[in-house]
Amino acid sequence: MVMPIPTLDELTEAVKKARAESKPRNFKQSFELIVKLPHFDPRKPEYKQNKSVLLPHPIKSTEIAVFAVGERRSMAEKAGAAFTMGRDELAALAQDKKAARKVAKSYDYYLAEPELMPIVGRVLGPFLGPRGKMPDPIPPNADMISLIDRAKRTAKVRMREQPYFSVKIGEEDMSDRDVAENALAVLNEVSREFKNPSVEIGSVILKLTMGKPVNLSD
């Protein structure tokens, strides 16, 4: 079946429906976009996408971890990084795989000074790599406030060995339209890699963390 990419209005209605059909929870739920790939073939490069998509609207609860030293580390803390770690702490972490695994699974997005990338890769790579969360390098003279804000507006799309992918696109305290615009940004970016996205992209599903999935192809 050929399914055109949903429009912004269709996505907005799906967000409203997902919200309406979700029971109240005692925590803030996230909106998730799930996209099925009916012709998935891991041998083809278009099905090996691993990219960062800049969203129109930030996801405020996204937690950023920063590996840096000195003034850059202080700047990251002031800019709102949820966690920072320097060279000596990284070296110590190499001796504690349980702690390293905890650092690797506790945050949404990772940034690192270029000179720390080798040690981050050695210590945390085995845990961050499989999650598709290896750190982005911090550019020279970067404004940490802008960099962390950008990270909160970045969705990581990673296609692996399954015929679908999922990505966090918002939270329930965001407006329906903002969540829908984030979803459309992801779909548009992924579609660019396919010659015929209406065929290659199958079911598009929206749901809250504990909510009922809303399938836009129904």
Side-chain angles (χ1 to χ4, degrees):
M1 185 190 313
V2 175
M3 292 296 301
I5 301 300
T7 65
L8 179 58
D9 286 343
E10 289 170 337
L11 288 164
T12 302
E13 289 304 311
V15 172
K16 290 179 180 178
K17 186 175 181 181
R19 196 190 298 276
E21 294 184 354
S22 177
K23 296 178 181 179
R25 305 289 176 178
N26 60 359
F27 64 96
K28 182 164 63 176
Q29 297 187 78
S30 298
F31 277 99
E32 181 180 7
L33 174 71
I34 303 167
V35 179
K36 295 185 178 180
L37 306 166
H39 304 289
F40 180 77
D41 185 344
R43 296 169 297 179
K44 296 181 178 179
E46 60 265 38
Y47 290 108
K48 296 179 180 179
Q49 295 188 45
N50 186 4
K51 60 173 60 183
S52 297
V53 180
L54 192 62
L55 303 174
H57 308 286
I59 301 175
K60 294 179 181 178
S61 71
T62 297
E63 294 196 317
I64 317 299
V66 178
F67 304 105
V69 298
E71 185 180 357
R72 181 64 58 77
R73 181 176 183 179
S74 298
M75 290 168 59
E77 291 169 349
K78 291 176 182 177
F83 174 84
T84 64
M85 179 172 276
R87 185 186 303 276
D88 292 345
E89 294 149 296
L90 275 166
L93 203 61
Q95 310 304 318
D96 190 341
K97 289 187 177 181
K98 183 177 180 180
R101 186 179 289 109
K102 182 178 179 181
V103 169
K105 72 178 185 179
S106 295
Y107 304 97
D108 301 295
Y109 201 94
Y110 296 78
L111 297 166
E113 289 186 306
E115 55 268 33
L116 294 184
M117 291 289 276
I119 188 171
V120 172
R122 186 169 66 253
V123 176
L124 292 170
F127 309 111
L128 289 173
R131 292 180 168 88
K133 290 186 175 182
M134 288 299 290
D136 287 345
I138 299 171
N141 303 316
D143 174 10
M144 291 305 299
I145 293 176
S146 297
L147 201 60
I148 287 177
D149 175 71
R150 184 181 178 88
K152 288 179 180 288
R153 293 192 297 117
T154 299
K156 295 255 187 176
V157 175
R158 186 170 184 236
M159 297 179 188
R160 291 179 283 184
E161 298 299 321
Q162 300 89 0
Y164 69 91
F165 69 87
S166 64
V167 60
K168 180 179 174 181
I169 53 165
E171 296 168 318
E172 60 183 341
D173 62 351
M174 293 172 63
S175 73
D176 297 332
R177 198 72 169 183
D178 284 358
V179 176
E181 288 178 353
N182 281 356
L184 187 59
V186 172
L187 290 170
N188 284 341
E189 184 62 33
V190 170
S191 297
R192 290 191 181 98
E193 303 295 331
F194 294 116
K195 292 181 180 178
N196 193 345
S198 295
V199 172
E200 304 296 339
I201 292 179
S203 299
V204 175
I205 298 165
L206 281 167
K207 68 182 294 293
L208 279 163
T209 306
M210 303 292 289
K212 180 180 177 181
V214 176
N215 193 329
L216 278 86
S217 62
D218 290 343

